[in-house]
Amino acid sequence: MGAETAIKTLGLIAMSEGGKVVMSKRSARPYIEDEMEKQTQDYQANGDERRSMASTSTTYSSQSSLESSPSLHAADPERDVEQLQLSSQKHRTFTNGPRDAFHPPNNDLESGSISAHELDRILPTEGRPSNFGIVVPGVYRSSFPQSEDYSFIEGLKLKTIVTLVQKEFPQGYDKFIERNGIKHCVFDMKGTKKQAIPIATMKSILRLVLDRKNHPLLIHCNHGKHRTGCVVGVVRKLSGWELGNVLSEYKKYAEPKVRDCDVNYITGFEPADISNLFREVTLPFRTRNFVRATFFAFIITVIWLFSGTKLISTTPRQAKALEE
Ligand SMILES: O=P(O)(O)O[C@H]1[C@@H](OP(=O)(O)O)[C@H](OP(=O)(O)O)[C@@H](OP(=O)(O)OP(=O)(O)O)[C@H](OP(=O)(O)O)[C@H]1OP(=O)(O)O
């Protein structure tokens, strides 16, 4: 299925916003068991690539431009959107609880491999950041990690951290991120009490979170309640969760500070609000190919015209000489 078809089917529409990016080298000190390693190897298929990455870090603002960081978004949106659809179809009537309903792109869950719930049991309970949770295997959520959480987070072998708040980082956070080769994307945004997450910002966040090339990925804000809750709520809605389940999950993480504004934001969010989520990714490639083709055609035309001119400018005497 083509990207456009998939996007249309999802009812998405396009616009473009975004920000900048940061990457850094990472090491893997997994405490995740061997079985988990096997089951999640698809997520870590880019591990070698990650290890060779230079450390980068990017701050996004609501007004920043996606075009400034095309490499981050050059994944396979087609596949990700298809997976969203698949997840949506399979889980519209899901009843086993919200945590299991956003399936990972490779659908390991369907093949009987590890689920978010199982993964939750496998991961150590000690050292987790507060309000930690597994959105799907390969996508995690939490409060702002503190130094005592770094060991646990290291075991997740993260490729990307999406930080939904701009503030002074805890001690050693930068170094931790750099040491582990993690791509760090920081969104400079206000708390949801002060300002609902702008659609443009939400789109930039979704481009990161839905791009499996960025997985394993951790998304966090200050307390992992409101900003993170809204983002995960939107992801759940996109993947076809029923609103009741979406809000139950939001409340589970936000208690006892559930905000009506967040509930209204999640409730009112429509997939059409972020239509053409990936158009910005595909358009530049098309444009580039068009420019190349046009340039090539121009060169051929010039050569052809030049040759024609030379032929025309040949006098009868010169032509006769050429014939002889
Ligand atoms: O009590 P309040 O309603 O005044 O909210 C306080 C604070 O509560 P506290 O003082 O009891 O800790 C909130 O923390 P919790 O509710 O998560 O515990 C915090 O939300 P937050 O954690 O940043 O939200 P996320 O990281 O989850 O998105 C919020 O920041 P804003 O979201 O930026 O408004 C703060 O507002 P303010 O002081 O005006 O900056």
Side-chain angles (χ1 to χ4, degrees):
M1 179 185 293
E4 286 195 13
T5 311
I7 290 167
K8 274 180 197 159
T9 310
L10 266 180
L12 306 180
I13 313 161
M15 288 163 60
S16 82
E17 301 78 17
K20 322 158 199 173
V21 187
V22 184
M23 302 173 203
S24 57
K25 291 211 171 188
R26 67 190 290 284
S27 70
R29 186 153 60 81
Y31 40 59
I32 300 171
E33 296 169 2
D34 290 345
E35 185 186 358
M36 162 68 190
E37 289 276 318
K38 193 163 162 253
Q39 302 294 352
T40 56
Q41 61 188 345
D42 186 56
Y43 284 99
Q44 291 149 23
N46 298 316
D48 292 340
E49 181 191 332
R50 280 202 304 277
R51 278 175 211 107
S52 64
M53 263 183 196
S55 173
T56 355
S57 188
T58 303
T59 302
Y60 295 68
S61 74
S62 304
Q63 281 74 40
S64 58
S65 158
L66 177 69
E67 283 71 22
S68 64
S69 58
S71 61
L72 238 195
H73 311 283
D76 188 350
E78 242 176 272
R79 185 176 50 189
D80 294 328
V81 171
E82 282 173 10
Q83 291 303 332
L84 261 181
Q85 284 183 290
L86 191 62
S87 175
S88 173
Q89 287 159 10
K90 291 190 176 179
H91 300 287
R92 279 185 195 287
T93 55
F94 198 85
T95 54
N96 290 343
R99 276 196 173 193
D100 295 315
F102 178 166
H103 278 203
N106 60 1
N107 287 308
D108 277 351
L109 297 184
E110 273 75 16
S111 61
S113 57
I114 203 151
S115 68
H117 183 65
E118 287 168 324
L119 180 56
D120 202 7
R121 285 194 295 113
I122 288 171
L123 292 173
T125 50
E126 294 295 312
R128 296 181 177 201
S130 64
N131 235 0
F132 176 83
I134 301 165
V135 182
V136 295
V139 179
Y140 310 96
R141 60 179 291 173
S142 75
S143 59
F144 212 119
Q146 303 299 306
S147 53
E148 59 268 27
D149 307 324
Y150 297 165
S151 176
F152 172 88
I153 293 174
E154 218 159 18
L156 299 176
K157 299 200 279 185
L158 296 177
K159 189 173 180 183
T160 312
I161 292 180
V162 178
T163 298
L164 302 179
V165 58
Q166 173 76 68
K167 64 179 228 177
E168 196 173 327
F169 295 154
Q171 192 180 12
Y173 196 53
D174 274 338
K175 286 210 169 90
F176 164 77
I177 285 172
E178 188 179 340
R179 191 170 66 244
N180 287 278
I182 296 170
K183 181 169 64 185
H184 191 202
C185 308
V186 181
F187 286 83
D188 185 1
M189 58 197 285
K190 293 177 178 160
T192 60
K193 191 177 66 184
K194 300 179 180 83
Q195 183 189 31
I197 301 176
I199 287 299
T201 306
M202 179 60 76
K203 287 174 74 173
S204 296
I205 296 165
L206 292 174
R207 286 189 192 100
L208 291 168
V209 174
L210 299 181
D211 185 346
R212 63 186 292 203
K213 285 191 176 176
N214 295 324
H215 299 178
L217 175 150
L218 170 69
I219 180 166
H220 75 84
C221 48
N222 272 338
H223 293 95
K225 293 175 181 172
H226 309 116
R227 283 166 269 212
T228 299
C230 286
V231 169
V232 173
V234 164
V235 167
R236 298 307 193 191
K237 285 194 91 173
L238 285 174
S239 60
W241 278 33
E242 289 176 353
L243 181 62
N245 285 338
V246 178
L247 294 179
S248 293
E249 184 183 43
Y250 164 79
K251 288 172 183 171
K252 176 181 160 191
Y253 287 92
E255 291 288 2
K257 305 286 281 285
V258 170
R259 288 180 182 165
D260 287 344
C261 60
D262 293 347
V263 170
N264 292 339
Y265 183 88
I266 295 169
T267 303
F269 178 86
E270 295 291 341
D273 293 342
I274 54 155
S275 55
N276 288 335
L277 184 63
F278 296 110
R279 179 170 286 181
E280 302 82 354
V281 177
T282 54
L283 265 184
F285 293 116
R286 286 186 193 153
T287 307
R288 203 179 307 154
N289 285 339
F290 176 75
V291 169
R292 281 182 186 153
T294 306
F295 180 72
F296 182 71
F298 174 76
I299 295 294
I300 295 295
T301 306
V302 167
I303 292 171
W304 179 73
L305 284 175
F306 184 70
S307 308
T309 306
K310 286 208 72 155
L311 281 175
I312 290 166
S313 65
T314 305
T315 63
R317 187 180 297 171
Q318 286 172 322
K320 196 176 175 190
L322 281 172
E323 280 174 16
E324 289 169 0

